Amino acid sequence: QVKLQESGPGLVRPSQTLSLTCTVSGGPINTRSFYWTWIRQPAGKRLEWIGRFFSDGGTIYNPSLKSRVTISVDTAKNQFSLELTSVTAADTAVYYCAGGVGYVHNWYDPWGQGILVTVSS
Amino acid sequence: DIVMTQSPDSLAVSLGERATLNCKSSQSILYSSNNKNSLAWYQQKPGQPPRLLIFWASTRESGVPARFSGSGSGTDFTLTINNMQAEDVALYYCQQYYSSPYTFGQGTKLEIK
């Protein structure tokens, strides 16, 4: 059973870069079974899809964040990562990593537990 | 982007009764390749990640109780919870995966009356 766990700093200063890592256990990350995805949820707001990485090397990002986001994979560590540059208070949210299921277009299962990232000086 | 709108925002249902949650997409999410609707439903309890309940609008995920069912087509969808249980108190979200960026509804809060 594949499990995911987010890690990273819980506090990031405005204008800095948010960096999070998702560790995958229970299966190899270089699988064609999942699209490795980041999703976030600001307090009291709806879930927002950030982007995904697939084993063929393809990445897709939400156009609303595309200029600031990079998702990458470290096959040796069985991890994938999120970098979000030039953060503001609007980027404060619980960040989830998730496995996207389905051919090309995805629903999500499993999910990590989530990590709260606060952007504040 | 496809906008997902859920109704009502909150709903109170008596134990043992039926809960009906609605989700509307701003355009059709019927996937022509397989004639299925690209819609998923999730349950989220406080402090937990979302849990997948339903995909392809009506296919129940393994391990999800049979009292949860999904229906609808095109732009209008429903999640029905029969025989409401105390453990069903949660937020419920719909998600379209017809086109990127994949989008979620604002959620329906389900409570016990």
Side-chain angles (χ1 to χ4, degrees), chain B residues 13-17 81-86 88-89 110-112:
Chain B
V13 175
S14 300
L15 291 174
E17 296 300 307
I81 307 171
N82 288 308
N83 187 20
M84 173 80 177
Q85 301 294 302
D88 300 334
V89 170
L110 180 61
E111 300 173 308
I112 294 175

Side-chain angles (χ1 to χ4, degrees), chain B residues 3-112:
Chain B
V3 178
M4 306 300 291
T5 303
Q6 294 183 239
S7 62
D9 289 331
S10 63
L11 179 63
V13 175
S14 300
L15 291 174
E17 296 300 307
R18 175 182 298 167
T20 302
L21 289 68
N22 302 301
C23 175
K24 188 176 183 67
S25 57
S26 60
Q27 66 183 72
S28 176
I29 54 175
L30 178 63
Y31 194 44
S32 58
S33 297
N34 60 6
N35 201 36
K36 294 184 178 182
N37 292 277
S38 304
L39 185 97
W41 286 97
Y42 300 85
Q43 175 193 67
Q44 187 178 33
K45 297 181 179 181
Q48 296 184 19
R51 172 197 180 192
L52 176 69
L53 298 175
I54 302 280
F55 55 96
W56 292 128
S58 61
T59 301
R60 198 180 306 115
E61 170 71 338
S62 175
V64 174
R67 64 179 182 274
F68 290 88
S69 63
S71 62
S73 186
T75 61
D76 292 282
F77 301 92
T78 299
L79 175 68
T80 301
I81 307 171
N82 288 308
N83 187 20
M84 173 80 177
Q85 301 294 302
E87 62 262 34
D88 300 334
V89 170
L91 271 165
Y92 291 83
Y93 294 97
C94 59
Q95 176 229 335
Q96 67 80 19
Y97 50 93
Y98 180 82
S99 66
S100 172
Y102 309 117
T103 49
F104 294 82
Q106 83 278 16
T108 291
K109 185 177 183 180
L110 180 61
E111 300 173 308
I112 294 175

Side-chain angles (χ1 to χ4, degrees), chain A residues 39 41 44-49 52 60-64 96 101 103-109 111-114, chain B residues 1 3-4 31 40 42 44 47-52 55-56 61 93 95 97-102 104-106:
Chain A
I39 295 167
Q41 187 173 33
K45 296 187 178 181
R46 69 182 70 197
L47 295 149
E48 180 180 28
W49 181 83
R52 75 177 191 198
I60 301 177
Y61 302 123
N62 192 322
S64 68
Y96 295 100
V101 185
Y103 181 68
V104 180
H105 302 298
N106 309 142
W107 59 92
Y108 299 100
D109 182 49
W111 295 66
Q113 278 299 307
Chain B
D1 298 3
V3 178
M4 306 300 291
Y31 194 44
Y42 300 85
Q44 187 178 33
Q48 296 184 19
R51 172 197 180 192
L52 176 69
F55 55 96
W56 292 128
E61 170 71 338
Y93 294 97
Q95 176 229 335
Y97 50 93
Y98 180 82
S99 66
S100 172
Y102 309 117
F104 294 82
Q106 83 278 16

Side-chain angles (χ1 to χ4, degrees), chain A residues 13-65:
Chain A
R13 305 301 182 191
S15 80
Q16 299 301 303
T17 296
L18 180 159
S19 297
L20 297 175
T21 297
C22 182
T23 300
V24 179
S25 59
I29 199 168
N30 60 346
T31 175
R32 298 185 69 81
S33 297
F34 293 105
Y35 292 74
W36 303 115
T37 303
W38 288 97
I39 295 167
R40 70 181 183 179
Q41 187 173 33
K45 296 187 178 181
R46 69 182 70 197
L47 295 149
E48 180 180 28
W49 181 83
I50 298 171
R52 75 177 191 198
F53 178 95
F54 190 54
S55 61
D56 63 359
T59 53
I60 301 177
Y61 302 123
N62 192 322
S64 68
L65 300 168

